[in-house]
Amino acid sequence: MKRTPAILIGMDATEVELLDQLVDEGRMPTIAAMREEGAWGRLKTWPDAFLSMVWPTFSAAQDVSKHGWYFNKLWRPDRQRLEYASPEWLPQNPFWHHLDPKCRIALLDIPFAHRPPLDLNGVFLNGWQNHDDFGRYTRPASLWNELKRRLGPPALKPELFGHQSVRTLLDQRRQVLEATRQFGELCEHVLEMENWDLLVAIFGAAHRGGHYLWDLSQVDTSEGSAHELQLLHDSRAEMYEAWDRALGRILEKAPADARVMVFSLHGMAPNPGWAEHFATMVNRVRSGGETTTQKSGLAYRVKKALPWSLVRQITTRMPTAINHAVVPIWSRRMYDWQTTRFFPLPLDLNGYVRINLRGRETEGIVAPGAEYEALLAELEEALPSFGDLETGQPVVSHVERTDDLVGSDAPARYVLPDLVAHWSQNSSVTESSGISSEQYGDIRWGVDRRLPSGRSGNHSPRGWFVAVGEGVSPGEVDRVPDTVELVPTALEWIGQNRPDSFQGRPMPELTAQASESTSS
């Protein structure tokens, strides 16, 4: 069977509104040319309550209700602790497990992709320039050192989480631009190795840049010269332009008959910052407005005694295996489970609350049924009661029940939070000195309103795509496809059957003639 090759290129967490602006200004000619020739439009990942970890949805062509990977650290009710997401205890079923053994594939830095099978027919690279550290794996084993000899060591370093300065942002700018150029050359090299049936490559540096280079709200601008500040001000557009140039060179190396899709699963926007105070809000509600500290284990007390930014800077520099081993230790006794009815979960965007439910959690104390429902209702009223001290406006716009989002019988429901808090869009921490609730009191953070994370940008639900090739209907697509449709579309392009486990179906706008044009 003759396969028409398919190439999927992701630019992780890039904002379509900025992309549109730069295309209109003539600053992204590669994307502009693809839009002129092919199909393009917006993209969504359902449900948008879980935007922190969208890549498993892409890889498995299943939404979070099926795979459960909504964050890198997940709650294990059977062990009453947090653990890093892992297929050892929460199985993944990525698309490369379903391909025809004769199909030659190249998988390059797909975020949160776990160790590949030994019999993978092609090359696999993970951890070269991903924003999120999920380990380093290669197939063949020699690939990493071969790439280092050719390109030098990876340009993107571990995340510098915490308060930023003009100097640290300038260094992040340099890393993002260099990593983008370097990964583009890496993709070119892999394309030169042979004609792949399917190549998937994800640029991760733009994700890092979007978090820290979105604006200058998290630095003292008096530290920098006018030239340095202008460099930082221009860096958002600069990294998009650098990626567009790298994409152009990749397409020059691509087979002439290849079908190509370029995409981002979610976007980036100014960071309102309320998420970084969510645990304090939940714990204030849990204590009925008191500021006293509840009983917890020694490991958790030591962790909480250290500044959050310091903890993050330490953990992001630990070897992956050690970091994964430490989290279950401190989280096992982070609360007194005999008195804790609910608790916040790790987050980076929306707020997550878990109920300590009897029969689900090994040390659960809240009875299912009426008591559980009453507690959810209490929290749905309590969380929006916190208002910005400056404006009086609620900082939580609304709270959703996970059962209403994905259904109480969803396969992965047992690892998901019970409630999701969404933030108001009309205020931010950097413009506020604190929040206040009539019932639960004030939470203030003083003069320095910079965020503990140092992140000026955070995720938006706005994804996008553009595709070219035989069978692709040109023009802007009227509807907003879902992430689960991307991989089925690529498999349709290369003549692969769609596995029964996939939720998504091929996008008709991109496959109208593809099946007819694939010949045997």
Side-chain angles (χ1 to χ4, degrees):
M1 177 181 185
K2 178 182 179 296
R3 301 183 195 275
T4 301
I7 296 175
L8 273 61
I9 305 290
M11 189 180 181
D12 193 13
T14 49
E15 177 54 43
V16 67
E17 292 185 357
L18 177 57
L19 184 87
D20 290 344
Q21 174 190 328
L22 296 175
V23 168
D24 290 344
E25 294 173 357
R27 299 169 67 178
M28 297 189 72
T30 307
I31 287 293
M34 291 184 68
R35 283 185 173 184
E36 186 69 25
E37 178 186 350
W40 58 281
R42 297 291 183 99
L43 183 70
K44 65 183 178 183
T45 301
W46 181 89
D48 64 10
F50 303 103
L51 283 179
S52 297
M53 198 173 178
V54 292
W55 285 102
T57 296
F58 166 83
S59 297
Q62 295 180 330
D63 67 48
V64 70
S65 73
K66 306 293 193 300
H67 62 71
W69 289 37
Y70 70 92
F71 198 66
N72 62 348
K73 291 183 285 292
L74 303 176
W75 178 252
R76 287 198 65 171
D78 58 322
R79 297 188 176 181
Q80 200 80 12
R81 68 189 191 189
L82 296 167
E83 290 188 15
Y84 271 84
S86 169
E88 275 72 39
W89 66 274
L90 191 60
Q92 278 248 293
N93 200 18
F95 68 86
W96 50 89
H97 288 180
H98 300 280
L99 296 178
D100 183 332
K102 296 180 181 179
C103 183
R104 290 289 286 167
I105 60 175
L107 306 175
L108 309 176
D109 269 358
I110 300 175
F112 298 105
H114 202 257
R115 193 183 308 275
L118 291 173
D119 60 352
L120 184 89
N121 187 12
V123 298
F124 181 101
L125 173 70
N126 194 50
W128 185 272
Q129 47 85 76
N130 299 94
H131 164 66
D132 295 286
D133 176 23
F134 203 63
R136 294 182 174 183
Y137 311 116
T138 58
R139 293 281 188 275
S142 60
L143 180 63
W144 190 277
N145 287 334
E146 175 194 336
L147 293 172
K148 282 182 65 176
R149 285 192 297 270
R150 175 177 288 270
L151 304 170
L156 193 67
K157 306 305 179 187
E159 180 180 4
L160 181 64
F161 190 91
H163 284 169
Q164 301 295 310
S165 66
V166 170
R167 181 187 60 79
T168 62
L169 289 191
L170 286 169
D171 188 55
Q172 296 221 40
R173 169 189 172 274
R174 179 191 59 76
Q175 287 185 38
V176 167
L177 295 177
E178 174 61 18
T180 299
R181 180 199 61 77
Q182 183 187 58
F183 191 67
E185 292 181 359
L186 189 154
C187 293
E188 291 179 67
H189 170 60
V190 172
L191 279 169
E192 290 172 338
M193 292 168 61
E194 66 174 273
N195 289 327
W196 305 98
D197 296 315
L198 174 64
L199 180 143
V200 183
I202 312 301
F203 283 77
H207 189 157
R208 176 75 55 79
H211 275 312
Y212 292 98
L213 300 170
W214 192 258
D215 58 42
L216 301 182
S217 63
Q218 299 305 308
V219 296
D220 180 354
T221 55
S222 67
E223 297 175 346
S225 67
H227 173 67
E228 290 172 329
L229 297 179
Q230 189 63 49
L231 282 177
L232 292 177
H233 180 270
D234 295 340
S235 59
R236 272 194 314 168
E238 193 178 11
M239 64 185 178
Y240 282 47
E241 292 174 297
W243 174 75
D244 190 80
R245 290 192 296 272
L247 176 63
R249 292 191 295 270
I250 290 170
L251 296 183
E252 289 177 1
K253 302 286 186 181
D257 61 343
R259 298 185 178 102
V260 180
M261 185 191 306
V262 180
F263 63 96
S264 183
L265 303 184
H266 53 5
M268 192 67 70
N271 185 8
W274 302 114
E276 301 188 24
H277 298 282
F278 184 68
T280 304
M281 293 170 57
V282 174
N283 289 331
R284 183 65 65 86
V285 174
R286 194 164 53 84
S287 66
E290 299 293 329
T291 58
T292 55
T293 302
Q294 291 203 9
K295 180 181 177 182
S296 58
L298 177 61
Y300 186 68
R301 294 200 304 273
V302 170
K303 175 182 179 293
K304 295 299 289 183
L306 298 172
W308 181 36
S309 58
L310 176 60
V311 172
R312 282 283 289 160
Q313 290 191 37
I314 293 172
T315 57
T316 53
R317 284 158 177 75
M318 285 181 179
T320 303
I322 294 177
N323 203 354
H324 287 200
V326 167
V327 168
I329 294 172
W330 64 253
S331 64
R332 182 65 182 87
R333 292 297 174 191
M334 59 184 179
Y335 294 108
D336 176 4
W337 300 119
Q338 300 308 307
T339 60
T340 298
R341 297 190 301 155
F342 56 89
F343 52 99
L345 292 171
L347 75 163
D348 69 354
L349 182 60
N350 296 321
Y352 301 132
V353 180
R354 181 82 177 191
I355 306 300
N356 193 21
L357 186 64
R358 188 186 307 157
R360 183 181 67 182
E361 273 65 30
T362 57
E363 298 184 46
I365 62 173
V366 175
E371 185 179 356
Y372 174 73
E373 294 293 328
L375 184 52
L376 293 179
E378 177 186 331
L379 290 166
E380 287 172 320
E381 182 177 346
L383 294 174
S385 73
F386 287 94
D388 185 340
L389 277 173
E390 264 64 48
T391 67
Q393 295 297 313
V395 299
V396 173
S397 63
H398 63 289
V399 178
E400 291 185 291
R401 298 190 183 193
T402 301
D403 285 351
D404 293 337
L405 288 169
V406 305
S408 60
D409 58 349
R413 174 64 186 89
Y414 73 103
V415 297
L416 301 178
D418 292 293
L419 292 175
V420 181
H422 296 260
W423 307 110
S424 299
Q425 299 301 308
N426 56 2
S427 61
S428 72
V429 168
T430 55
E431 299 169 349
S432 176
S433 60
I435 53 179
S436 180
S437 166
E438 183 175 342
Q439 182 175 356
Y440 303 107
D442 294 352
I443 300 172
R444 298 176 181 268
W445 39 80
V447 177
D448 186 359
R449 300 177 185 181
R450 290 184 296 171
L451 299 171
S453 69
R455 291 180 169 182
S456 60
N458 213 336
H459 300 296
S460 82
R462 298 178 290 270
W464 58 269
F465 74 95
V466 57
V468 296
E470 189 175 2
V472 175
S473 302
E476 184 174 5
V477 174
D478 292 333
R479 70 186 184 93
V480 180
D482 193 276
T483 291
V484 296
E485 299 177 55
L486 297 187
V487 164
T489 299
L491 297 193
E492 177 88 355
W493 280 353
I494 63 174
Q496 289 279 289
N497 293 326
R498 172 181 167 269
D500 293 338
S501 62
F502 284 12
Q503 278 181 278
R505 296 183 176 277
M507 295 170 60
E509 302 88 350
L510 308 188
T511 57
Q513 306 161 43
S515 297
E516 299 174 11
S517 62
T518 301
S519 59
S520 299

